[in-house]
Amino acid sequence: MLFAFTLRAAEFQPSNFFPEQLTAFEVWLEHGSKNCPPPEQLPIVLQVLLSQSHRLRALQLLARFLDMGAWAVDLALSVGIFPYVLKLLQTTASDLRSVLVYIWTKILALDSSCQADLIKDNSQLYFIKFLESNASESEKAMAMFVLSVICCNYPKGQHACLTSNLMLGIFRCLVTAETELLQMWSLLCLGHSWNNFWEAVNIGYKQNIREALCKFLGSEKVELRAAAVFAIGCAISIPTRENSHVSAEGERLMEARKKAIERKFAYLLIEMPWDASPMVRLETAAALSKLIISHDEYFQEAKDFAQHGDSSTVTETSPVSMSVQSPVPARASLQKQMNPVNFSGVSSLLAHEASVGGTSLGDDLLAAHAADVSFSDTDPDLYDSEREIKQAAMLVSYTAHMM
């Protein structure tokens, strides 16, 4: 009897301290504000994150606190929230995923410098895998935001996300997403992952992301059109000397393929200078300005041709002379080839030429478009289609001139 009493007395009784502190913090959340004294329980809530039994509730309350504004995020960071939530990205608990993504969205919206700490432990994988989960599209959009911040103006983050197969996750979201929010952040994330990063652009081109971008350029939503143009503009980079260690021949071939793919992306912008939205036109101007800088030789030849109106002022290998020598297909057959992009802007170009008393350049533009749409994106050898690529460059150059 005495032995049984001793066992009952030794039974563990969990402390009510953590639950009571969480309850007190919840009461503060219901009645507190920026103008009130900060919650005394906040440091204790961070300690509760170490307790697996109370972790989910603590994260949910912490998310509610961060949602009160930038001041709340700053306060949480000042008391030491960062190492706790960073460590939790290594866990595999499915019930914590959504709330952790939400918390990191709030943190990176205030302090994007945390991107360096995220890739140290390959934490970008957490958010890329989250895109494959059964989470709602609004939650996936937050994960896309986090990934876009990791890639934004941060080459190490771009490389880490590329090796973690981010491009495939973006492609799936672009194809399957139904909400505007996820579509927009997928496009923005794509742009940030491409910006001045040729390897990512090359992989995206091979995965036919160019085809997925086409539908967004014709979207009724201004934000989606602007985001798509932004992504295309990021696919175009200004030349640098980063590849100076490559042999002269290898560097030349790499640069030739790079420019060919950039022109294929830029050709999608043929209609965008006539967009009704100033935001879309601004992004188009930014994209085409980068194209002019990196492909200045083609634009100079196109300018000379536009001024003189004949092929005698350009070389035999120039994009303009090749366009003059090309036959002009019938207009009816052209309309069948104008998929998946609706190039009604070509008609606007021709109408403009007729209004100023000239049609020769419009015919050349039409021929250039016909040659370009016949060039398969899956063609493994871009250099066999150099004539069509140069004609496409002339068409884009004239579009820039029309702006």
Side-chain angles (χ1 to χ4, degrees):
M1 188 70 179
L2 180 61
F3 179 72
F5 175 78
T6 304
L7 287 179
R8 286 196 298 271
E11 288 179 358
F12 174 73
Q13 297 293 331
S15 171
N16 293 327
F17 177 76
F18 282 162
E20 290 175 352
Q21 293 298 313
L22 292 178
T23 301
F25 186 50
E26 187 173 7
V27 172
W28 189 94
L29 291 174
E30 293 177 356
H31 303 284
S33 66
K34 179 180 180 180
N35 299 323
C36 296
E40 299 177 355
Q41 299 81 15
L42 185 58
I44 301 175
V45 171
L46 301 183
Q47 296 296 324
V48 179
L49 296 177
L50 302 176
S51 173
Q52 189 172 359
S53 58
H54 303 292
R55 183 174 296 161
L56 178 58
R57 185 187 176 193
L59 286 173
Q60 291 173 340
L61 294 177
L62 183 60
R64 287 179 56 186
F65 177 70
L66 299 181
D67 198 35
M68 300 183 75
W71 67 271
V73 179
D74 185 63
L75 180 61
L77 290 174
S78 65
V79 298
I81 182 182
F82 188 82
Y84 291 91
V85 292
L86 182 62
K87 189 67 175 178
L88 287 177
L89 293 179
Q90 307 301 320
T91 64
T92 58
S94 58
D95 56 338
L96 303 180
R97 290 178 182 174
S98 297
V99 65
L100 277 175
V101 169
Y102 183 86
I103 288 174
W104 274 105
T105 301
K106 293 294 183 180
I107 293 175
L108 290 176
L110 178 70
D111 185 7
S112 60
S113 64
C114 300
Q115 57 191 182
D117 298 280
L118 281 172
I119 66 170
K120 285 182 180 178
D121 300 323
N122 287 325
S123 298
Q124 75 279 355
L125 285 170
Y126 189 90
F127 302 98
I128 295 176
K129 292 180 179 178
F130 185 81
L131 299 176
E132 304 173 1
S133 66
N134 296 325
S136 65
E137 292 200 349
S138 61
E139 293 172 337
K140 290 183 179 180
M142 290 188 287
M144 277 294 185
F145 168 80
V146 172
L147 292 168
S148 66
V149 173
I150 293 176
C151 294
C152 183
N153 299 323
Y154 189 51
K156 291 183 179 179
Q158 289 176 312
H159 185 268
C161 288
L162 180 65
T163 56
S164 302
N165 211 10
L166 171 62
M167 206 61 60
L168 181 59
I170 294 176
F171 181 77
R172 288 174 177 171
C173 288
L174 290 177
V175 173
T176 62
E178 298 179 355
T179 61
E180 178 185 348
L181 186 64
L182 179 56
Q183 292 171 345
M184 182 185 69
W185 278 110
S186 298
L187 291 168
L188 294 175
C189 184
L190 178 64
H192 286 301
S193 64
W194 276 355
N195 192 29
N196 295 322
F197 191 31
W198 155 242
E199 289 79 2
V201 176
N202 191 27
I203 291 177
Y205 182 83
K206 292 178 180 179
Q207 293 181 349
N208 270 342
I209 282 187
R210 181 174 178 267
E211 299 297 325
L213 289 171
C214 292
K215 67 175 183 179
F216 295 107
L217 292 176
S219 172
E220 296 180 355
K221 301 294 185 180
V222 174
E223 292 81 3
L224 292 182
R225 298 200 304 273
V229 174
F230 167 77
I232 294 172
C234 289
I236 306 169
S237 59
I238 298 176
T240 62
R241 287 292 182 180
E242 293 180 359
N243 295 326
S244 57
H245 62 282
V246 184
S247 64
E249 181 65 16
E251 184 176 357
R252 186 187 66 82
L253 293 176
M254 182 184 300
E255 187 66 18
R257 175 177 175 82
K258 175 177 176 292
K259 287 193 173 184
I261 291 178
E262 287 180 351
R263 289 193 291 270
K264 292 295 290 183
F265 275 109
Y267 192 68
L268 295 176
L269 302 178
I270 182 63
E271 275 198 323
M272 308 320 292
W274 289 271
D275 195 277
S277 169
M279 180 168 58
V280 176
R281 297 199 301 271
L282 176 63
E283 292 293 344
T284 304
L288 291 179
S289 65
K290 294 171 67 177
L291 187 72
I292 292 172
I293 295 174
S294 58
H295 301 256
D296 58 329
E297 66 276 12
Y298 296 106
F299 283 89
Q300 185 60 45
E301 291 174 353
K303 177 183 176 182
D304 294 340
F305 178 76
Q307 290 176 347
H308 295 85
D310 58 60
S311 58
S312 61
T313 59
V314 294
T315 63
E316 294 181 358
T317 59
S318 70
V320 177
S321 63
M322 292 179 178
S323 177
V324 172
Q325 299 167 7
S326 302
V328 181
R331 192 179 300 266
S333 63
L334 272 179
Q335 295 299 327
K336 297 180 181 179
Q337 300 181 63
M338 292 183 182
N339 290 316
V341 187
N342 176 19
F343 283 93
S344 61
V346 175
S347 301
S348 301
L349 285 172
L350 299 177
H352 174 79
E353 283 298 300
S355 66
V356 297
T359 57
S360 59
L361 184 55
D363 290 337
D364 291 319
L365 291 172
L366 199 59
H369 171 67
D372 185 68
V373 294
S374 64
F375 172 42
S376 172
D377 288 344
T378 58
D379 189 351
D381 191 357
L382 292 175
Y383 315 110
D384 290 343
S385 303
E386 185 67 17
R387 176 174 59 86
E388 290 85 352
I389 294 170
K390 289 184 177 181
Q391 290 171 343
M394 187 197 72
L395 180 55
V396 177
S397 70
Y398 186 67
T399 305
H401 175 71
M402 289 287 294
M403 294 180 65

